[in-house]
Amino acid sequence: MSLRLIHVFAALPLVLLVLVLHGAIPGYSMPTFGQALWVMGFARSFANSELIWIFANNIGNPAPAAIAFGLPAALAAAAFLKLGFDAADAYSLSFGAWLVLAFWGCYRLGRLLNVGTLLSLTAAAMWLSTPMLWMHESYSSLALGMSLLPFYAMCAWPTIWDEVPSPTAFLALGVGAVIAVFMDGYTFVMFAVATFCLWVAATIRRKEKWKRAVIRIGLIGSAFLVAYTLFTLYIGRASFDPAPMDFFRAWGANIEFLFRPVQGLLWLSDWIGFSEARASADYFGDPSVFTTPHAIFLILAAIIGLAISHGDKRAIYGFMIIGLVGFYFSLGPSFKFYTLKPNGVAGPVMPASYAPIPTGTGYISENLPGFDAMRASYRWAALGMFGMWAVFLASASGRRSLTEWRIPVAVGVVLCNLPHQAWLATYAANRENMQNVEAAAKSIDENFVDDERVFFAPWGNDFFITFLAPSIRIKAFNIGGDKNVATAFDQWPAALQAFPQREVDRTIGANYADMVTAVLTSHAADAVALSFIDNLAPTQAWPVKQEFKEDLLRVADTLAANQALSLTRTADYIIVRLHSPISNSSATSTLSR
């Protein structure tokens, strides 16, 4: 019992460190803000049901909306909302809960590899401190998917390595696959690739007869197929439009990105002068491409582990394959080494002429299902890092933790991965922004009627409406998220589809008013809310600029001349409805304001 207590006390500060690095401290910090608006909108809509449901009825109408990714995180957040927590703390608690599961998965994988308890705990903190993980918190559940890679491997391990897989082992693999596919598509594909690599290594290592090997891979494949089928049934489609190879190439990592961190991120690398200055204007893609893929510390740890002892060779071979595959695919369709964007070139995508040496992965990315959706190629580096981390862990198989020199190595990697204080300060700002938006939603609530069908115009990638509509219990046609917007638009009445996206043309003010009137007179919606703000803009901070106000006020003047309409003016919206026979007097007084 005393030894168990020692392990518990050893784990607690490590778990706390992980939560701090990811910003998941309820009451103090929040991992991100922009994507959290979207996730918490779904979570609030799930929680609005008498029992927590998996479809959102307040957004993306007329049909219930399925969240494109991150369902496990949103469901956990919905549970915390049901318990009375505010949006910021519910989000932090949800992410914290999944991070604790990820920590446990790292620890359990270490124990399955016959690694000592203390080293398994330290290695868990080592993995979850990796900047590739916490720097992707702004992408919401993608960060959780990456963090859970060791947990997924732990779920697959018995099916791969047991001489005769038990039903329990197969169930664990299935549960891992279902969590992965609903959490994030990128890491679901990574999990499938990792499982296949481990199967190859295990089959070769044990010299398994081909019939048994085929049966085993059949079980593995069926688990992933069932998970993917459930996901497609949930979202209502099997695939989305693929991205061009120029996108894959632009979001592929330069080779040097893997070996040197960017300047201004990690305090120790900056202090010793190891980091490298990079500017967004010099690279294709977006900043995440050149800021997140550095893996040098995990690579060095793996090399050190292999140089001292060979550990569990059956596992090392499999994890080494995983690491190499991950890093190779992270380069994208073309090799790039200190490849910069030429002066005068606009746009983020990268034609092949700027990186003419192919890696050979382009054909796979273009033609193989699953791989064709991995358009941000650099994210494969997370799989490469997981492989290196697991090689380091497997090299300690059978060693006692208390005399294990790898613990100082793991602690050293954690220290190398610590960010500047300024990064941690953004987590507190995220929480403050969420609280400001939640307060704004409460002030807007009084101007809407529960369950009325509302169309917000101009429309676009409406993250704020995704949060607002469930908070004030209306049924909005608008929704955020590219995939969700595309799905909702296809189901909208024609009167809504007629509106231009994210603009109010100054030359068609009268026509815009006619479109608003057509929505109401056709009863396509109960109300049209003319939005002064771009409803994607609040993903950065609150309050935001009212960029559409001047144009929409002119539209409102035109609408006010129509005696059949009632206008309610608020700080950020003009809400237009048809007069009802029983509310003409109140509507008229509202209009006069």
Side-chain angles (χ1 to χ4, degrees), residues 513 517 554-567 569 591:
T517 305
R554 286 197 292 269
V555 173
D557 290 340
T558 302
L559 291 168
N562 188 337
Q563 296 299 313
L565 302 179
S566 164
L567 275 67
R569 301 173 186 268
L591 177 58

Side-chain angles (χ1 to χ4, degrees), residues 38 53 72 77 84 97 144 189 205 207 231 241 243 246 315 331 350 373 388 397 404 414 421 476 484 497 509 559 566:
W38 183 75
W53 188 227
L144 287 181
V189 176
R205 184 66 181 168
K207 298 178 180 179
F231 178 71
D241 294 336
D246 289 354
L331 303 178
M350 183 181 192
M388 294 299 103
S397 178
E404 183 49 59
V414 172
Q421 175 63 31
N484 287 109
Q497 293 178 339
L559 291 168
S566 164

Side-chain angles (χ1 to χ4, degrees), residues 93-154:
L93 285 165
S94 170
F95 268 60
W98 284 104
L99 287 169
V100 169
L101 180 65
F103 188 97
W104 178 79
C106 294
Y107 166 77
R108 283 301 305 157
L109 182 60
R111 300 301 288 147
L112 288 173
L113 292 170
N114 196 26
V115 175
T117 298
L118 292 180
L119 177 56
S120 295
L121 292 172
T122 310
M126 174 187 178
W127 169 249
L128 292 170
S129 70
T130 305
M132 185 74 171
L133 310 185
W134 47 259
M135 287 186 72
H136 277 89
E137 289 291 358
S138 59
Y139 293 93
S140 189
S141 300
L142 173 61
L144 287 181
M146 292 177 176
S147 300
L148 287 164
L149 284 172
F151 170 80
Y152 298 150
M154 180 270 294

Side-chain angles (χ1 to χ4, degrees), residues 112-342:
L112 288 173
L113 292 170
N114 196 26
V115 175
T117 298
L118 292 180
L119 177 56
S120 295
L121 292 172
T122 310
M126 174 187 178
W127 169 249
L128 292 170
S129 70
T130 305
M132 185 74 171
L133 310 185
W134 47 259
M135 287 186 72
H136 277 89
E137 289 291 358
S138 59
Y139 293 93
S140 189
S141 300
L142 173 61
L144 287 181
M146 292 177 176
S147 300
L148 287 164
L149 284 172
F151 170 80
Y152 298 150
M154 180 270 294
C155 290
W157 190 260
T159 300
I160 295 169
W161 290 107
D162 287 357
E163 197 66 31
V164 179
S166 66
T168 303
F170 180 67
L171 178 62
L173 173 62
V175 169
V178 169
I179 293 174
V181 73
F182 281 95
M183 185 68 81
D184 171 69
Y186 278 92
T187 46
F188 173 71
V189 176
M190 292 180 196
F191 178 26
V193 170
T195 304
F196 178 74
C197 291
L198 290 175
W199 171 80
V200 170
T203 301
I204 295 173
R205 184 66 181 168
R206 67 163 66 96
K207 298 178 180 179
E208 191 168 51
K209 293 181 178 180
W210 71 268
K211 287 185 178 180
R212 181 171 291 183
V214 169
I215 292 173
R216 195 183 298 268
I217 193 63
L219 289 173
I220 293 170
S222 63
F224 284 96
L225 180 60
V226 168
Y228 180 71
T229 301
L230 290 174
F231 178 71
T232 57
L233 291 173
Y234 171 67
I235 64 171
R237 59 196 304 173
S239 63
F240 292 91
D241 294 336
M245 280 299 104
D246 289 354
F247 193 104
F248 283 77
R249 188 175 296 105
W251 268 261
N254 282 19
I255 294 173
E256 72 271 15
F257 296 166
L258 302 175
F259 298 102
R260 292 188 70 179
V262 66
Q263 193 174 81
L265 177 66
L266 307 180
W267 71 271
L268 186 56
S269 294
D270 285 354
W271 183 53
I272 65 176
F274 178 60
S275 56
E276 182 177 63
R278 299 178 189 132
S280 298
D282 294 333
Y283 297 95
F284 293 95
D286 64 30
S288 61
V289 180
F290 63 79
T291 58
T292 64
H294 53 276
I296 184 61
F297 305 123
L298 289 174
I299 292 173
L300 290 175
I303 292 172
I304 293 171
L306 291 176
I308 302 302
S309 63
H310 299 294
D312 186 344
K313 290 184 178 180
R314 62 175 188 160
I316 286 175
Y317 293 150
F319 291 127
M320 184 64 72
I321 294 171
I322 289 170
L324 295 176
V325 168
F327 288 136
Y328 188 60
F329 272 94
S330 74
L331 303 178
S334 300
F335 286 106
K336 297 183 294 179
F337 182 67
Y338 282 98
T339 301
L340 303 178
K341 181 189 290 188

Side-chain angles (χ1 to χ4, degrees), residues 41 46 80 93 102 124 162 169 214 288 290 330 357 410 426 452 460 465-466 475 490 496 509 528 542 578 580-581 592:
F46 296 159
F80 288 116
L93 285 165
D162 287 357
V214 169
S288 61
F290 63 79
S330 74
I357 304 175
T426 62
E452 72 174 334
I465 304 305
T466 304
K475 296 185 181 297
D490 289 342
L496 304 187
V528 175
W542 185 270
L578 288 177
S580 62
S592 65

